[in-house]
Amino acid sequence: MVFKRRDRRPIWKIVLDFVYPRGGWARAFGYVKHRLRRLPDTPEKISRGIAVGVFAAFTPFYGLHFVIAILLARVARGNILAALLGTFAGNPLTYIPIGIASLGTGYWLLGRPFNATLFGLDGSASADYCTLGCQFSNAFSDIIYNFAAIFTVATADWTGLIAFYHEVFVPYLIGGIAPGLFFGWLSYYLFVPIIAAYQKRRRKVLQAKLEQLKK
């Protein structure tokens, strides 16, 4: 394979690179910024792609943000690569504030008190709730266990997944729409002039080099 890595990374290294990439987050964000500047498209189309990518980062469909961003970019006629880069708005540095904003808004819209135990903000344990990581872990464990139960005599138990659906997924899905739209809209109007100014300056530089070559 042409693009296959020569040195296969162990699982712990893959997880570590996801949480803290080689070169640090400053280098990672610098790469994203560099790629956005060089996209061959109009500032409006690139910014629409970024906007839908940012919106996708506010959805609870972890692992599917790229797919959602691509679909939304096609609907909004935005740049697909910009949409993929826009999903980097959701990363290990922002997942907690995004989760708090989305879940807090969702609980408020549903008329329910915010479950601070999900983020360990109340400082106390609860017999009825577990943290956000615990909710995800219980839901994933239910899926694995119940899939294996199909081929064994074990009895399926969906308690963890049902709790995750009511306590996390539904509030997150409903509450992520408003902040997702806001930050998507903000990123669009922020990046349009920035990308337009960069493309204009880059055209001037290329024109100057062309004229220099002619001389």
Side-chain angles (χ1 to χ4, degrees):
M1 295 292 291
V2 177
F3 299 106
K4 189 175 182 180
R5 293 178 61 94
R6 293 183 179 179
D7 54 330
R8 296 188 62 182
R9 296 179 299 170
I11 297 297
W12 68 267
K13 180 63 175 175
I14 296 175
V15 175
L16 180 62
D17 287 344
F18 176 75
V19 176
Y20 190 81
R22 279 188 298 178
W25 280 105
R27 182 179 179 183
F29 288 131
Y31 171 77
V32 172
K33 181 175 69 173
H34 175 75
R35 290 297 302 163
L36 287 173
R37 285 176 172 178
R38 293 184 173 272
L39 289 177
D41 222 329
T42 65
E44 292 76 15
K45 195 170 182 179
I46 294 173
S47 298
R48 281 199 299 270
I50 297 172
V52 298
V54 171
F55 176 82
F58 281 81
T59 66
F61 301 102
Y62 289 96
L64 297 175
H65 285 168
F66 276 5
V67 177
I68 295 172
I70 291 173
L71 294 175
L72 292 177
R74 293 182 67 88
V75 172
R77 297 183 180 181
N79 185 282
I80 292 179
L81 182 55
L84 297 179
L85 294 173
T87 61
F88 281 90
N91 57 73
L93 297 179
T94 61
Y95 279 143
I96 291 180
I98 286 176
I100 292 176
S102 299
L103 283 169
T105 305
Y107 273 100
W108 177 73
L109 291 174
L110 292 171
R112 294 160 55 184
F114 179 66
N115 180 12
T117 309
L118 289 172
F119 297 93
L121 299 177
D122 60 353
S124 62
S126 172
D128 297 324
Y129 299 110
C130 61
T131 63
L132 187 62
C134 172
Q135 292 278 1
F136 272 100
S137 177
N138 288 345
F140 183 74
S141 297
D142 272 8
I143 293 173
I144 299 298
Y145 174 81
N146 293 322
F147 177 78
I150 299 175
F151 308 98
T152 64
V153 295
T155 303
D157 183 4
W158 298 100
T159 304
L161 188 61
I162 293 173
F164 171 81
Y165 177 80
H166 290 289
E167 297 297 330
V168 178
F169 183 80
V170 172
Y172 204 131
L173 181 64
I174 296 174
I177 294 176
L181 287 174
F182 172 76
F183 284 102
W185 170 85
L186 183 64
S187 63
Y188 175 81
Y189 284 100
L190 178 67
F191 277 98
V192 166
I194 293 176
I195 295 173
Y198 175 80
Q199 289 183 346
K200 183 178 180 180
R201 183 167 63 87
R202 190 160 182 261
R203 283 194 297 268
K204 288 182 178 180
V205 172
L206 293 175
Q207 185 65 30
K209 288 183 178 180
L210 182 60
E211 292 177 357
Q212 187 67 28
L213 289 174
K214 288 181 178 179
K215 293 179 180 180

